[in-house]
Amino acid sequence: MSKITDAVASLAAAPAAALGLEIWDVEFVREAGTRYLRIYIDKDGGVGIDDCVAFSQAMDPLLDEADPIAESYTFEVSSAGLERELKKPAHFARYLGSPVEVRHFSPVEGSKSHTGTLRGYDGGAVTIECGGESRTFTKEQVAQVRLRME
């Protein structure tokens, strides 16, 4: 994470806990010339619009006071989603045995993505089981890993 996303994640921890939410991820990205600060939240049973609104309202004054971002940006709060991206070791540990899609930077074995059941994660290397066969993709091969709804 960057210094900005780390600072925002720290700010977000207390209001998230107070609302029974988990911070899934924090992004600070540029899209079409606009900067976006996005906080993805989660909770048991799923996140609804009311959760996003309540969390956003709790975060607004904290962001204004702490002012961790010097430039202008758009603040968004969203559910992590059913087909969420797995980024942290804890994400992978939580979803071992779940269906995933592994996307690659360039074709691996003739394909830009592979789907299967998540069997392991070790230092960026991802192991999936597909058709009874185990495949491990190195950190350098893995662009993104997402849960897959079947």
Side-chain angles (χ1 to χ4, degrees):
M1 283 194 169
S2 73
K3 289 181 182 182
I4 290 173
T5 56
D6 287 343
V8 171
S10 292
L11 280 174
L19 294 167
L21 302 169
E22 171 189 355
I23 302 301
W24 184 261
D25 195 20
V26 178
E27 293 180 337
F28 185 58
V29 296
R30 180 182 303 278
E31 294 176 1
T34 301
R35 285 289 203 171
Y36 291 91
L37 173 63
R38 291 192 183 109
I39 301 179
Y40 296 92
I41 58 175
D42 194 25
K43 73 174 184 181
D44 288 340
V47 170
I49 189 72
D50 292 338
D51 297 310
C52 292
V53 169
F55 181 72
S56 178
Q57 289 173 342
M59 279 300 296
D60 275 335
L62 297 176
L63 288 169
D64 287 344
E65 183 179 325
D67 199 19
I69 303 171
E71 59 194 294
S72 67
Y73 61 92
T74 300
F75 176 51
E76 297 178 344
V77 175
S78 178
S79 162
L82 292 175
E83 292 191 342
R84 65 192 60 193
E85 186 174 359
L86 306 180
K87 292 183 176 182
K88 303 172 187 174
H91 294 166
F92 288 92
R94 181 173 173 178
Y95 287 101
L96 281 174
S98 298
V100 295
E101 177 184 22
V102 179
R103 295 181 186 165
H104 307 291
F105 291 108
S106 56
V108 175
E109 300 171 8
S111 181
K112 290 274 288 184
S113 70
H114 289 86
T115 58
T117 302
L118 180 63
R119 293 295 179 214
Y121 177 82
D122 183 20
V126 176
T127 301
I128 63 171
E129 183 179 319
C130 179
E133 182 181 325
S134 182
R135 294 179 172 176
T136 299
F137 303 104
T138 66
K139 180 178 182 176
E140 294 75 24
Q141 294 173 314
V142 177
Q144 183 182 69
V145 179
R146 287 192 172 277
L147 289 179
R148 222 173 55 103
M149 298 311 299
E150 295 183 329

Coordinates of all heavy atoms in Angstrom, one line a residue, residues 78-122:
S78 N -17.6 1.5 -1.3 CA -18.3 0.4 -2.0 C -18.2 -0.9 -1.3 O -17.2 -1.1 -0.5 CB -17.6 0.3 -3.4 OG -18.2 -0.8 -4.1
S79 N -19.1 -1.8 -1.6 CA -18.9 -3.2 -1.1 C -17.8 -3.8 -1.8 O -17.5 -3.5 -3.0 CB -20.2 -3.9 -1.5 OG -20.0 -5.3 -1.4
A80 N -17.1 -4.8 -1.2 CA -16.0 -5.5 -1.8 C -16.6 -6.3 -3.0 O -15.8 -6.6 -3.9 CB -15.3 -6.4 -0.8
G81 N -17.8 -6.7 -2.9 CA -18.5 -7.4 -4.0 C -18.3 -8.9 -3.9 O -17.4 -9.4 -3.3
L82 N -19.2 -9.6 -4.6 CA -19.2 -11.1 -4.6 C -17.9 -11.6 -5.3 O -17.4 -12.6 -4.9 CB -20.4 -11.6 -5.2 CG -21.7 -11.4 -4.4 CD1 -22.9 -11.9 -5.2 CD2 -21.6 -12.1 -3.1
E83 N -17.5 -10.9 -6.4 CA -16.4 -11.4 -7.2 C -15.2 -10.4 -6.9 O -14.5 -9.9 -7.8 CB -16.7 -11.4 -8.7 CG -17.7 -12.5 -9.0 CD -17.9 -12.9 -10.4 OE1 -17.5 -12.0 -11.3 OE2 -18.4 -13.9 -10.7
R84 N -14.9 -10.3 -5.6 CA -13.9 -9.4 -5.1 C -12.5 -9.8 -5.5 O -12.2 -11.0 -5.6 CB -14.0 -9.2 -3.6 CG -13.7 -10.5 -2.9 CD -14.1 -10.5 -1.4 NE -15.5 -10.2 -1.3 CZ -16.1 -9.9 -0.2 NH1 -15.4 -9.8 0.9 NH2 -17.4 -9.7 -0.1
E85 N -11.7 -8.8 -5.6 CA -10.3 -9.1 -5.8 C -9.6 -9.5 -4.5 O -9.8 -8.9 -3.5 CB -9.6 -7.9 -6.4 CG -8.1 -8.1 -6.8 CD -7.5 -6.9 -7.5 OE1 -8.2 -5.9 -7.7 OE2 -6.3 -7.1 -7.9
L86 N -8.8 -10.5 -4.6 CA -8.0 -11.0 -3.5 C -6.6 -10.4 -3.6 O -5.9 -10.6 -4.6 CB -7.9 -12.5 -3.4 CG -9.2 -13.3 -3.5 CD1 -9.0 -14.8 -3.4 CD2 -10.1 -12.9 -2.3
K87 N -6.1 -9.6 -2.6 CA -4.8 -9.0 -2.7 C -3.9 -9.3 -1.5 O -2.7 -9.4 -1.7 CB -5.0 -7.4 -2.6 CG -5.7 -6.9 -3.9 CD -5.8 -5.4 -3.8 CE -6.4 -4.8 -5.0 NZ -6.4 -3.3 -4.9
K88 N -4.4 -9.5 -0.3 CA -3.6 -9.7 0.9 C -3.6 -11.2 1.2 O -4.5 -11.9 0.9 CB -4.2 -8.9 2.0 CG -4.4 -7.4 1.8 CD -5.2 -6.8 2.9 CE -5.5 -5.3 2.6 NZ -6.3 -4.7 3.6
P89 N -2.5 -11.6 1.9 CA -2.4 -13.0 2.3 C -3.6 -13.4 3.1 O -4.1 -14.6 2.9 CB -1.1 -13.1 3.2 CG -0.3 -12.0 2.6 CD -1.2 -10.9 2.2
A90 N -4.2 -12.6 3.9 CA -5.4 -12.9 4.7 C -6.6 -13.1 3.8 O -7.4 -14.0 4.1 CB -5.7 -11.8 5.7
H91 N -6.7 -12.4 2.7 CA -7.8 -12.6 1.7 C -7.7 -14.1 1.2 O -8.7 -14.8 1.1 CB -7.7 -11.7 0.6 CG -7.9 -10.2 0.9 ND1 -7.7 -9.2 0.1 CD2 -8.4 -9.6 2.1 CE1 -8.0 -8.1 0.7 NE2 -8.4 -8.3 1.9
F92 N -6.5 -14.5 0.8 CA -6.3 -15.8 0.2 C -6.6 -16.9 1.2 O -7.2 -17.9 0.9 CB -4.9 -15.9 -0.4 CG -4.7 -15.1 -1.7 CD1 -4.2 -13.8 -1.6 CD2 -5.0 -15.7 -2.9 CE1 -4.0 -13.1 -2.8 CE2 -4.8 -15.0 -4.1 CZ -4.3 -13.7 -4.0
A93 N -6.1 -16.7 2.5 CA -6.3 -17.7 3.5 C -7.8 -17.8 3.8 O -8.3 -18.9 4.0 CB -5.6 -17.2 4.8
R94 N -8.5 -16.7 3.8 CA -10.0 -16.8 4.0 C -10.8 -17.5 3.0 O -11.8 -18.1 3.3 CB -10.5 -15.3 4.1 CG -11.9 -15.2 4.5 CD -12.2 -13.7 4.7 NE -13.6 -13.4 4.8 CZ -14.1 -12.2 5.1 NH1 -13.2 -11.2 5.2 NH2 -15.4 -12.0 5.2
Y95 N -10.3 -17.5 1.7 CA -11.1 -18.0 0.6 C -10.4 -19.3 0.0 O -10.8 -19.7 -1.1 CB -11.3 -17.0 -0.4 CG -12.4 -16.0 0.0 CD1 -12.0 -14.7 0.5 CD2 -13.7 -16.3 0.1 CE1 -13.0 -13.9 1.0 CE2 -14.7 -15.5 0.5 CZ -14.3 -14.2 1.0 OH -15.2 -13.4 1.5
L96 N -9.5 -20.0 0.8 CA -9.0 -21.3 0.3 C -10.2 -22.2 0.1 O -11.1 -22.2 0.9 CB -8.1 -21.9 1.4 CG -6.7 -21.3 1.4 CD1 -5.9 -21.9 2.6 CD2 -5.9 -21.6 0.1
G97 N -10.2 -22.9 -1.0 CA -11.3 -23.8 -1.4 C -12.4 -23.2 -2.2 O -13.3 -23.8 -2.6
S98 N -12.2 -21.9 -2.5 CA -13.3 -21.1 -3.2 C -12.9 -21.1 -4.7 O -11.7 -21.1 -5.1 CB -13.4 -19.7 -2.7 OG -13.8 -19.7 -1.4
P99 N -13.9 -20.9 -5.6 CA -13.6 -20.8 -7.0 C -13.0 -19.4 -7.3 O -13.5 -18.4 -6.7 CB -15.0 -20.9 -7.7 CG -16.0 -20.8 -6.6 CD -15.3 -21.0 -5.3
V100 N -12.0 -19.3 -8.1 CA -11.3 -18.1 -8.4 C -11.0 -18.0 -9.9 O -10.9 -19.1 -10.6 CB -10.0 -17.9 -7.6 CG1 -10.3 -17.7 -6.1 CG2 -9.0 -19.0 -7.9
E101 N -10.7 -16.8 -10.4 CA -10.1 -16.6 -11.7 C -8.8 -15.9 -11.5 O -8.7 -14.9 -10.8 CB -11.0 -15.7 -12.6 CG -10.4 -15.4 -13.9 CD -11.2 -14.5 -14.8 OE1 -12.0 -13.7 -14.2 OE2 -11.0 -14.5 -16.0
V102 N -7.8 -16.5 -12.1 CA -6.4 -15.9 -12.1 C -6.2 -15.3 -13.4 O -6.2 -16.0 -14.4 CB -5.3 -17.0 -11.8 CG1 -3.9 -16.4 -11.8 CG2 -5.6 -17.7 -10.5
R103 N -5.9 -14.0 -13.4 CA -5.6 -13.3 -14.7 C -4.1 -13.0 -14.7 O -3.5 -12.7 -13.7 CB -6.4 -12.0 -14.7 CG -7.9 -12.2 -14.8 CD -8.6 -10.9 -14.9 NE -10.1 -11.1 -14.8 CZ -11.0 -10.2 -14.6 NH1 -10.6 -9.0 -14.4 NH2 -12.2 -10.5 -14.5
H104 N -3.6 -13.1 -15.9 CA -2.1 -13.0 -16.1 C -1.8 -11.8 -16.9 O -2.6 -11.2 -17.6 CB -1.6 -14.3 -16.9 CG -2.0 -15.6 -16.3 ND1 -1.5 -16.0 -15.1 CD2 -2.9 -16.5 -16.7 CE1 -2.1 -17.2 -14.9 NE2 -2.9 -17.5 -15.8
F105 N -0.5 -11.3 -16.7 CA 0.0 -10.2 -17.4 C 0.2 -10.5 -18.9 O -0.1 -9.7 -19.8 CB 1.4 -9.8 -16.9 CG 1.3 -9.2 -15.5 CD1 1.7 -9.9 -14.4 CD2 0.7 -7.9 -15.3 CE1 1.6 -9.3 -13.1 CE2 0.6 -7.4 -14.0 CZ 1.1 -8.1 -12.9
S106 N 0.6 -11.7 -19.2 CA 0.7 -12.2 -20.6 C 0.3 -13.7 -20.6 O 0.2 -14.3 -19.5 CB 2.1 -12.0 -21.1 OG 3.0 -12.7 -20.3
P107 N 0.0 -14.2 -21.7 CA -0.5 -15.6 -21.8 C 0.4 -16.6 -21.1 O 1.6 -16.6 -21.2 CB -0.6 -15.9 -23.3 CG -0.8 -14.6 -23.9 CD 0.0 -13.6 -23.1
V108 N -0.3 -17.5 -20.3 CA 0.4 -18.6 -19.6 C -0.3 -19.9 -20.1 O -1.5 -20.0 -20.1 CB 0.3 -18.5 -18.1 CG1 0.9 -19.7 -17.4 CG2 1.0 -17.2 -17.6
E109 N 0.5 -20.8 -20.7 CA -0.1 -22.0 -21.3 C -1.2 -21.6 -22.3 O -2.2 -22.3 -22.4 CB -0.6 -22.9 -20.2 CG 0.4 -23.4 -19.2 CD -0.2 -24.1 -18.0 OE1 -1.4 -24.4 -18.0 OE2 0.6 -24.4 -17.1
G110 N -0.9 -20.5 -23.0 CA -1.8 -20.1 -24.1 C -3.1 -19.3 -23.7 O -3.9 -19.1 -24.5
S111 N -3.2 -19.0 -22.4 CA -4.4 -18.3 -22.0 C -4.0 -17.1 -21.1 O -3.0 -17.2 -20.3 CB -5.3 -19.2 -21.2 OG -6.5 -18.6 -20.8
K112 N -4.8 -16.0 -21.1 CA -4.6 -14.9 -20.3 C -5.3 -15.0 -18.9 O -5.1 -14.2 -18.0 CB -5.1 -13.6 -21.0 CG -4.3 -13.1 -22.1 CD -3.2 -12.2 -21.7 CE -3.7 -10.9 -21.3 NZ -2.6 -9.9 -21.0
S113 N -6.1 -16.1 -18.7 CA -6.7 -16.3 -17.4 C -6.9 -17.8 -17.3 O -7.1 -18.6 -18.2 CB -8.0 -15.6 -17.3 OG -9.0 -16.1 -18.1
H114 N -7.0 -18.2 -16.0 CA -7.3 -19.6 -15.6 C -8.2 -19.6 -14.5 O -8.2 -18.7 -13.6 CB -6.0 -20.4 -15.2 CG -5.1 -20.6 -16.4 ND1 -4.1 -19.8 -16.8 CD2 -5.0 -21.7 -17.2 CE1 -3.5 -20.3 -17.8 NE2 -4.0 -21.5 -18.1
T115 N -9.2 -20.5 -14.5 CA -10.1 -20.6 -13.4 C -10.0 -22.0 -12.7 O -9.6 -23.0 -13.3 CB -11.6 -20.5 -13.9 OG1 -11.9 -21.5 -14.9 CG2 -11.8 -19.1 -14.5
G116 N -10.3 -22.0 -11.4 CA -10.2 -23.2 -10.7 C -10.5 -22.9 -9.2 O -11.0 -21.9 -8.8
T117 N -10.2 -23.9 -8.4 CA -10.4 -23.8 -6.9 C -9.1 -23.4 -6.3 O -8.1 -24.0 -6.5 CB -10.9 -25.1 -6.4 OG1 -12.1 -25.5 -7.0 CG2 -11.1 -25.0 -4.9
L118 N -9.2 -22.3 -5.5 CA -8.0 -21.8 -4.8 C -7.5 -22.9 -3.8 O -8.2 -23.3 -2.9 CB -8.3 -20.5 -4.1 CG -7.1 -19.8 -3.3 CD1 -6.0 -19.4 -4.3 CD2 -7.6 -18.6 -2.6
R119 N -6.2 -23.3 -4.0 CA -5.6 -24.3 -3.1 C -4.5 -23.8 -2.3 O -4.1 -24.4 -1.3 CB -5.2 -25.5 -4.0 CG -6.3 -26.3 -4.6 CD -7.2 -26.9 -3.5 NE -8.3 -27.6 -4.1 CZ -9.5 -27.7 -3.5 NH1 -9.7 -27.1 -2.4 NH2 -10.4 -28.4 -4.1
G120 N -3.9 -22.6 -2.7 CA -2.7 -22.1 -2.0 C -2.3 -20.8 -2.4 O -2.6 -20.3 -3.5
Y121 N -1.6 -20.1 -1.5 CA -1.0 -18.8 -1.8 C 0.3 -18.8 -0.9 O 0.3 -19.0 0.3 CB -1.9 -17.7 -1.3 CG -1.3 -16.3 -1.5 CD1 -1.3 -15.7 -2.8 CD2 -0.7 -15.7 -0.4 CE1 -0.8 -14.4 -2.9 CE2 -0.2 -14.4 -0.6 CZ -0.2 -13.8 -1.9 OH 0.4 -12.6 -2.0
D122 N 1.4 -18.5 -1.6 CA 2.7 -18.4 -0.9 C 3.6 -17.3 -1.6 O 4.1 -17.5 -2.6 CB 3.4 -19.7 -1.0 CG 4.7 -19.8 -0.3 OD1 4.9 -18.9 0.6 OD2 5.5 -20.7 -0.6

